[in-house]
Amino acid sequence: MTEEKITLTAQPPFYGTVLKNGSQGPDCAMVQTWINGLQGRWPSLPKLTVDGKYGSGTAKAVSQFQTLMGLTADGETGRNTWDALYTAWAGQKGAGEVFCGIIIVAAAKGAVVKSMQQKLDVCAAVYKSINKPETDGLFGSATGAAVRRFQREMGLSIDGMAGKTTWNKLVEATAAIRAGNPLPSAARYPNTVLKVGSTGDSVRCVQAWLGAVQNTSLKVDGQFGTGTRNAVIVFQTAAGLKADGMVGSATWNALRAAFNATL
């Protein structure tokens, strides 16, 4: 059996939407990235601009690849072409999922978005400040919130979009969790004291960390109420800190370290 006859299921798996001239988004960028990885084997394949826009140049390159692989040369990327592209790319670069090549933003959809959501779900099981988005391949508000919260936990710039740095950290964090050695939280102190009445994702971090450290089911809702205050006081007392129920930099750093010790 020749290499061309062996077809792997792509990473990420085909989403179900045929990509063709006029299509846009991360999946189109993935096709462009895979094709660009094949020039070493097939120098005749054109070098594409990875912009996520499936124009005539991308369609022509896909058609040329299909001809080389004995597929119907229609210039469109359905399941068979998607898997064949990945298989050929993996043969050159090694199997595994890579960054698609463009920033993944709100309203994007497809296989790349679904894979990102699945990784966020894995991370949310450990870093409970992160909400679990639906793994439907649709980049809506819940997915954006999960990306922002992941970025906060990992100490990254927080913009709610998945560029190369965020994507690679998400891959790294997911692999670490699956290997049983989660990455430590690197969430930075928000430079404002958190107390009763405070809201937001920094409060979610505090609540998630307290729940893990104290092994309680403290609600992670981003609302600093009396329940959160009481849990902070318990932590501060045990840690030898001023037990005022407020989270300044000393309590933040001690709590983050205590959470990381639970991982």
Side-chain angles (χ1 to χ4, degrees):
M1 183 176 288
T2 65
E3 180 183 349
E4 288 77 7
K5 296 294 184 181
I6 301 171
T7 303
L8 305 174
T9 298
Q11 297 182 40
F14 183 63
Y15 185 63
T17 300
V18 175
L19 306 174
K20 54 188 176 182
N21 200 346
S23 298
Q24 296 187 46
D27 289 2
C28 298
M30 193 79 263
V31 168
Q32 294 165 335
T33 294
W34 285 336
I35 287 177
N36 284 348
L38 299 178
Q39 275 88 21
R41 180 179 179 186
W42 292 300
S44 62
L45 285 173
K47 185 77 171 180
L48 298 175
T49 299
V50 180
D51 57 7
K53 297 177 181 178
Y54 202 116
S56 58
T58 300
K60 183 178 180 180
V62 169
S63 179
Q64 188 173 339
F65 170 79
Q66 290 168 325
T67 298
L68 290 166
M69 297 300 292
L71 300 170
T72 301
D74 57 7
E76 300 180 357
T77 302
R79 183 180 303 277
N80 290 341
T81 299
W82 179 271
D83 286 346
L85 273 168
Y86 171 78
T87 299
W89 180 88
Q92 297 295 296
K93 305 295 185 180
E97 190 174 357
V98 296
F99 179 57
C100 68
I102 64 170
I103 298 173
I104 307 162
V105 300
K109 62 181 179 180
V112 173
V113 173
K114 184 174 181 177
S115 178
M116 180 181 71
Q117 292 169 327
Q118 290 168 335
K119 291 174 177 60
L120 287 166
D121 269 10
V122 171
C123 291
V126 173
Y127 313 100
K128 296 187 183 298
S129 69
I130 304 171
N131 58 294
K132 286 192 171 188
E134 292 292 329
T135 55
D136 55 6
L138 304 176
F139 196 134
S141 59
T143 298
V147 171
R148 289 194 305 274
R149 290 161 184 166
F150 172 80
Q151 291 169 328
R152 184 178 300 277
E153 283 282 8
M154 294 295 109
L156 305 176
S157 296
I158 301 169
D159 59 11
M161 302 183 290
K164 187 173 184 178
T165 298
T166 294
W167 177 268
N168 287 344
K169 181 61 71 171
L170 188 55
V171 170
E172 181 187 4
T174 302
I177 291 169
R178 288 173 172 161
N181 188 30
L183 301 179
S185 174
R188 303 184 184 99
Y189 177 61
N191 294 320
T192 184
V193 175
L194 304 176
K195 55 188 177 181
V196 171
S198 296
T199 61
D201 289 344
S202 291
V203 176
R204 289 178 66 93
C205 281
V206 167
Q207 293 168 326
W209 295 344
L210 285 167
V213 170
Q214 298 174 348
N215 195 25
T216 62
S217 57
L218 184 66
K219 188 174 182 179
V220 179
D221 60 2
Q223 306 290 324
F224 199 124
T226 55
T228 300
R229 177 181 180 276
N230 292 340
V232 169
I233 289 173
V234 170
F235 172 77
Q236 290 170 325
T237 300
L241 299 169
K242 181 180 179 181
D244 57 6
M246 299 186 289
V247 180
S249 60
T251 297
W252 177 276
N253 292 333
L255 183 54
R256 184 185 59 202
F259 167 75
N260 287 336
T262 71
L263 297 176

